[in-house]
Amino acid sequence: MNDTIEKYLYDPTIGKMSTIVIGVAVIWLLVRVIQRNLLSKIQGNDNHYRAKKFSNYAGYFLTIVLITIVFSDKLGGFTVALGVAGAGIAFALQEVIASFAGWLAIMFGDFYKTGDRVQLGGIKGDVMDIGVLRTTIMETGQWVDGDLYNGRIVLIANSYVFKEPVFNYSGDFPFLWDEIKIPVQYGSDYDKAKELLLEIGNKVAGDLTQQSKEKWEQLQNKFRLEEAQTDPMVSLIANDNWVEFTLRYVVSYKKRRATKTELFIQILKSFEATNGAIKFASATFQLVEAPDFNVNIKK
């Protein structure tokens, strides 16, 4: 019995396995202590999230280093075999490798970050988490109108950043240009209509004018961009049915629907208060009466 115990105690493989178990336990104990005591002092959800993810990746890296060091004397004879196996694994797991490369591109290429609203792989929503292989998104739209959550959580492979365009609604410029079209009857007071629309646009969406202008200037310093008008503006065209006014304005990417609702409410009230000076237009159809027919019947 004692010989068996001594055999196991002095077995190099058992010793290395014990070292790995103890070492891994110590590494992750330190990671948890750091997360509990140090990360709790970091201000801001985004910074706290990034620090927690980094500490987890550091734990994985140290675990791999520990295993490599412990078994380093056994790896020399498997070099050729590992090379051949690695080539086969790389071919079989090319999508996984591409997703990992996509994760590196996202982390260091500033594609997007947690909390951003993006459209990736045909899916639009807010980024909840950026994993090594997949990005988790809280989806918006689909069967729900407007930029509202529909409750569906979507996992998208990070490799999509190399395959399709990445639309970021809240990156360096967290605003969008939006517009609404108002049909007005011919014969209305066009100057008054334009004046009212500009007044309502400045009242409802004008508070973002200066903020968006400052952000746009920062973009101009970073990229080659032309000057852009962030103040509300009104344009019009005349077509076969009515005069169509277009109100263009800057809005926060999270408040498109609410802002558009408030604008329509104010426009409806203002136009109705003009006592017929400004009238909304609608499609009208005139049914032409058929002419009289004289029918002679011969016996």
Side-chain angles (χ1 to χ4, degrees), residues 41-71:
K41 300 179 181 179
I42 297 178
Q43 300 296 326
N45 291 335
D46 189 59
N47 293 331
H48 185 273
Y49 168 82
R50 287 179 176 272
K52 184 176 180 181
K53 296 288 283 189
F54 178 79
S55 62
N56 286 334
Y57 295 143
Y60 295 136
F61 175 76
L62 292 176
T63 301
I64 295 174
V65 170
L66 174 64
I67 295 174
T68 303
I69 292 175
V70 171
F71 287 100

Short mmCIF file of all heavy atoms in Angstrom, two decimals, residues 41-71:
data_model
loop_
_atom_site.label_atom_id
_atom_site.label_comp_id
_atom_site.label_asym_id
_atom_site.label_seq_id
_atom_site.Cartn_x
_atom_site.Cartn_y
_atom_site.Cartn_z
N LYS A 41 -14.40 49.85 -7.90
CA LYS A 41 -14.10 51.27 -7.74
C LYS A 41 -14.06 52.02 -9.06
O LYS A 41 -13.93 53.24 -9.07
CB LYS A 41 -12.75 51.43 -7.03
CG LYS A 41 -12.72 50.79 -5.64
CD LYS A 41 -11.36 50.93 -4.99
CE LYS A 41 -11.34 50.28 -3.62
NZ LYS A 41 -10.01 50.39 -2.98
N ILE A 42 -14.17 51.30 -10.17
CA ILE A 42 -14.13 51.95 -11.48
C ILE A 42 -15.48 52.56 -11.78
O ILE A 42 -16.52 51.92 -11.66
CB ILE A 42 -13.75 50.92 -12.58
CG1 ILE A 42 -12.34 50.38 -12.32
CG2 ILE A 42 -13.82 51.56 -13.96
CD1 ILE A 42 -11.91 49.33 -13.31
N GLN A 43 -15.47 53.82 -12.18
CA GLN A 43 -16.70 54.54 -12.47
C GLN A 43 -17.11 54.32 -13.93
O GLN A 43 -16.27 54.25 -14.81
CB GLN A 43 -16.51 56.04 -12.22
CG GLN A 43 -16.13 56.38 -10.78
CD GLN A 43 -17.22 56.01 -9.79
OE1 GLN A 43 -18.41 56.11 -10.11
NE2 GLN A 43 -16.83 55.58 -8.59
N GLY A 44 -18.41 54.23 -14.17
CA GLY A 44 -18.92 54.09 -15.53
C GLY A 44 -19.11 52.64 -15.91
O GLY A 44 -18.21 51.81 -15.71
N ASN A 45 -20.29 52.32 -16.44
CA ASN A 45 -20.59 50.94 -16.82
C ASN A 45 -19.66 50.43 -17.91
O ASN A 45 -19.23 49.28 -17.90
CB ASN A 45 -22.05 50.84 -17.30
CG ASN A 45 -23.02 51.02 -16.15
OD1 ASN A 45 -22.69 50.76 -15.00
ND2 ASN A 45 -24.22 51.48 -16.46
N ASP A 46 -19.36 51.30 -18.88
CA ASP A 46 -18.53 50.88 -20.01
C ASP A 46 -17.12 50.55 -19.55
O ASP A 46 -16.55 49.53 -19.93
CB ASP A 46 -18.51 51.98 -21.08
CG ASP A 46 -17.85 51.52 -22.36
OD1 ASP A 46 -18.33 50.54 -22.95
OD2 ASP A 46 -16.84 52.13 -22.75
N ASN A 47 -16.53 51.42 -18.73
CA ASN A 47 -15.18 51.17 -18.23
C ASN A 47 -15.14 49.93 -17.33
O ASN A 47 -14.19 49.14 -17.39
CB ASN A 47 -14.67 52.39 -17.45
CG ASN A 47 -14.47 53.59 -18.35
OD1 ASN A 47 -14.19 53.44 -19.54
ND2 ASN A 47 -14.62 54.78 -17.80
N HIS A 48 -16.17 49.77 -16.51
CA HIS A 48 -16.23 48.59 -15.63
C HIS A 48 -16.34 47.31 -16.45
O HIS A 48 -15.69 46.30 -16.16
CB HIS A 48 -17.42 48.73 -14.68
CG HIS A 48 -17.51 47.63 -13.67
ND1 HIS A 48 -18.16 46.45 -13.91
CD2 HIS A 48 -17.02 47.53 -12.40
CE1 HIS A 48 -18.09 45.67 -12.84
NE2 HIS A 48 -17.40 46.30 -11.91
N TYR A 49 -17.15 47.36 -17.50
CA TYR A 49 -17.32 46.19 -18.37
C TYR A 49 -16.00 45.81 -19.05
O TYR A 49 -15.60 44.65 -19.09
CB TYR A 49 -18.40 46.48 -19.41
CG TYR A 49 -18.47 45.48 -20.54
CD1 TYR A 49 -19.14 44.27 -20.37
CD2 TYR A 49 -17.84 45.73 -21.76
CE1 TYR A 49 -19.20 43.35 -21.40
CE2 TYR A 49 -17.89 44.81 -22.78
CZ TYR A 49 -18.57 43.63 -22.60
OH TYR A 49 -18.63 42.72 -23.62
N ARG A 50 -15.32 46.82 -19.60
CA ARG A 50 -14.05 46.56 -20.29
C ARG A 50 -13.00 45.99 -19.34
O ARG A 50 -12.27 45.06 -19.68
CB ARG A 50 -13.53 47.84 -20.94
CG ARG A 50 -14.31 48.27 -22.18
CD ARG A 50 -13.74 49.56 -22.74
NE ARG A 50 -14.41 49.94 -23.97
CZ ARG A 50 -14.04 49.51 -25.18
NH1 ARG A 50 -13.00 48.71 -25.29
NH2 ARG A 50 -14.70 49.89 -26.25
N ALA A 51 -12.92 46.55 -18.13
CA ALA A 51 -11.94 46.07 -17.16
C ALA A 51 -12.23 44.63 -16.75
O ALA A 51 -11.31 43.81 -16.61
CB ALA A 51 -11.94 46.99 -15.93
N LYS A 52 -13.51 44.29 -16.59
CA LYS A 52 -13.87 42.92 -16.21
C LYS A 52 -13.52 41.94 -17.32
O LYS A 52 -12.98 40.86 -17.07
CB LYS A 52 -15.35 42.84 -15.89
CG LYS A 52 -15.80 41.48 -15.39
CD LYS A 52 -17.27 41.47 -15.00
CE LYS A 52 -17.70 40.09 -14.49
NZ LYS A 52 -19.14 40.09 -14.12
N LYS A 53 -13.82 42.33 -18.58
CA LYS A 53 -13.48 41.46 -19.71
C LYS A 53 -11.96 41.27 -19.82
O LYS A 53 -11.48 40.16 -20.06
CB LYS A 53 -14.03 42.05 -21.01
CG LYS A 53 -15.54 42.15 -21.07
CD LYS A 53 -16.20 40.80 -21.22
CE LYS A 53 -16.11 40.26 -22.61
NZ LYS A 53 -16.93 39.05 -22.82
N PHE A 54 -11.22 42.35 -19.62
CA PHE A 54 -9.76 42.27 -19.72
C PHE A 54 -9.19 41.36 -18.64
O PHE A 54 -8.27 40.57 -18.90
CB PHE A 54 -9.15 43.67 -19.60
CG PHE A 54 -7.65 43.68 -19.64
CD1 PHE A 54 -6.99 43.59 -20.87
CD2 PHE A 54 -6.91 43.77 -18.48
CE1 PHE A 54 -5.60 43.58 -20.92
CE2 PHE A 54 -5.52 43.77 -18.52
CZ PHE A 54 -4.87 43.67 -19.75
N SER A 55 -9.72 41.45 -17.42
CA SER A 55 -9.23 40.59 -16.35
C SER A 55 -9.54 39.12 -16.64
O SER A 55 -8.72 38.24 -16.34
CB SER A 55 -9.85 41.01 -15.01
OG SER A 55 -11.27 40.86 -15.04
N ASN A 56 -10.69 38.83 -17.24
CA ASN A 56 -11.00 37.44 -17.61
C ASN A 56 -10.04 36.93 -18.68
O ASN A 56 -9.54 35.80 -18.60
CB ASN A 56 -12.44 37.35 -18.12
CG ASN A 56 -13.47 37.46 -17.01
OD1 ASN A 56 -13.18 37.15 -15.85
ND2 ASN A 56 -14.65 37.92 -17.34
N TYR A 57 -9.77 37.76 -19.69
CA TYR A 57 -8.83 37.35 -20.73
C TYR A 57 -7.42 37.15 -20.16
O TYR A 57 -6.70 36.24 -20.58
CB TYR A 57 -8.80 38.39 -21.85
CG TYR A 57 -10.10 38.52 -22.60
CD1 TYR A 57 -10.56 39.76 -23.04
CD2 TYR A 57 -10.90 37.41 -22.84
CE1 TYR A 57 -11.77 39.87 -23.72
CE2 TYR A 57 -12.11 37.52 -23.51
CZ TYR A 57 -12.53 38.75 -23.95
OH TYR A 57 -13.72 38.87 -24.61
N ALA A 58 -7.05 37.99 -19.21
CA ALA A 58 -5.75 37.83 -18.56
C ALA A 58 -5.68 36.50 -17.82
O ALA A 58 -4.64 35.81 -17.82
CB ALA A 58 -5.49 38.99 -17.60
N GLY A 59 -6.79 36.11 -17.18
CA GLY A 59 -6.83 34.82 -16.49
C GLY A 59 -6.68 33.66 -17.46
O GLY A 59 -5.94 32.70 -17.19
N TYR A 60 -7.37 33.73 -18.62
CA TYR A 60 -7.22 32.68 -19.63
C TYR A 60 -5.78 32.61 -20.14
O TYR A 60 -5.21 31.52 -20.32
CB TYR A 60 -8.17 32.95 -20.81
CG TYR A 60 -9.63 32.86 -20.45
CD1 TYR A 60 -10.53 33.81 -20.91
CD2 TYR A 60 -10.11 31.82 -19.65
CE1 TYR A 60 -11.87 33.75 -20.58
CE2 TYR A 60 -11.45 31.75 -19.34
CZ TYR A 60 -12.33 32.71 -19.79
OH TYR A 60 -13.65 32.63 -19.47
N PHE A 61 -5.19 33.77 -20.38
CA PHE A 61 -3.82 33.81 -20.90
C PHE A 61 -2.83 33.20 -19.91
O PHE A 61 -1.97 32.39 -20.28
CB PHE A 61 -3.43 35.26 -21.22
CG PHE A 61 -2.01 35.43 -21.66
CD1 PHE A 61 -1.62 35.06 -22.94
CD2 PHE A 61 -1.06 35.95 -20.80
CE1 PHE A 61 -0.30 35.21 -23.35
CE2 PHE A 61 0.26 36.09 -21.20
CZ PHE A 61 0.64 35.72 -22.48
N LEU A 62 -2.95 33.57 -18.63
CA LEU A 62 -2.05 33.02 -17.62
C LEU A 62 -2.25 31.51 -17.45
O LEU A 62 -1.29 30.78 -17.20
CB LEU A 62 -2.28 33.74 -16.28
CG LEU A 62 -1.86 35.22 -16.24
CD1 LEU A 62 -2.23 35.84 -14.90
CD2 LEU A 62 -0.36 35.36 -16.50
N THR A 63 -3.49 31.05 -17.59
CA THR A 63 -3.74 29.61 -17.51
C THR A 63 -3.04 28.86 -18.63
O THR A 63 -2.41 27.81 -18.41
CB THR A 63 -5.25 29.34 -17.56
OG1 THR A 63 -5.90 30.00 -16.47
CG2 THR A 63 -5.54 27.85 -17.47
N ILE A 64 -3.13 29.39 -19.85
CA ILE A 64 -2.45 28.76 -20.99
C ILE A 64 -0.94 28.77 -20.80
O ILE A 64 -0.24 27.79 -21.09
CB ILE A 64 -2.85 29.47 -22.29
CG1 ILE A 64 -4.34 29.26 -22.56
CG2 ILE A 64 -2.02 28.96 -23.47
CD1 ILE A 64 -4.87 30.05 -23.75
N VAL A 65 -0.41 29.90 -20.31
CA VAL A 65 1.04 29.99 -20.07
C VAL A 65 1.48 28.98 -19.02
O VAL A 65 2.51 28.30 -19.18
CB VAL A 65 1.40 31.42 -19.62
CG1 VAL A 65 2.85 31.48 -19.13
CG2 VAL A 65 1.21 32.41 -20.77
N LEU A 66 0.70 28.82 -17.96
CA LEU A 66 1.03 27.86 -16.91
C LEU A 66 1.08 26.44 -17.47
O LEU A 66 2.04 25.69 -17.20
CB LEU A 66 0.02 27.96 -15.77
CG LEU A 66 0.14 26.91 -14.66
CD1 LEU A 66 1.47 27.07 -13.92
CD2 LEU A 66 -1.02 27.00 -13.69
N ILE A 67 0.06 26.06 -18.23
CA ILE A 67 0.02 24.70 -18.79
C ILE A 67 1.19 24.49 -19.74
O ILE A 67 1.82 23.43 -19.75
CB ILE A 67 -1.32 24.48 -19.52
CG1 ILE A 67 -2.47 24.53 -18.50
CG2 ILE A 67 -1.33 23.15 -20.25
CD1 ILE A 67 -3.84 24.47 -19.14
N THR A 68 1.52 25.49 -20.54
CA THR A 68 2.64 25.38 -21.48
C THR A 68 3.96 25.19 -20.75
O THR A 68 4.80 24.37 -21.13
CB THR A 68 2.70 26.64 -22.37
OG1 THR A 68 1.45 26.80 -23.05
CG2 THR A 68 3.82 26.51 -23.40
N ILE A 69 4.17 25.95 -19.67
CA ILE A 69 5.42 25.84 -18.91
C ILE A 69 5.54 24.48 -18.25
O ILE A 69 6.61 23.84 -18.26
CB ILE A 69 5.50 26.97 -17.87
CG1 ILE A 69 5.64 28.32 -18.57
CG2 ILE A 69 6.66 26.74 -16.91
CD1 ILE A 69 5.60 29.51 -17.62
N VAL A 70 4.44 24.01 -17.66
CA VAL A 70 4.49 22.73 -16.93
C VAL A 70 4.81 21.58 -17.88
O VAL A 70 5.59 20.67 -17.56
CB VAL A 70 3.16 22.50 -16.19
CG1 VAL A 70 3.12 21.07 -15.61
CG2 VAL A 70 2.99 23.51 -15.08
N PHE A 71 4.22 21.58 -19.07
CA PHE A 71 4.43 20.49 -20.00
C PHE A 71 5.43 20.83 -21.11
O PHE A 71 5.45 20.18 -22.15
CB PHE A 71 3.09 20.10 -20.65
CG PHE A 71 2.16 19.37 -19.74
CD1 PHE A 71 1.12 20.04 -19.11
CD2 PHE A 71 2.33 18.02 -19.49
CE1 PHE A 71 0.25 19.37 -18.27
CE2 PHE A 71 1.47 17.34 -18.64
CZ PHE A 71 0.43 18.01 -18.02
#
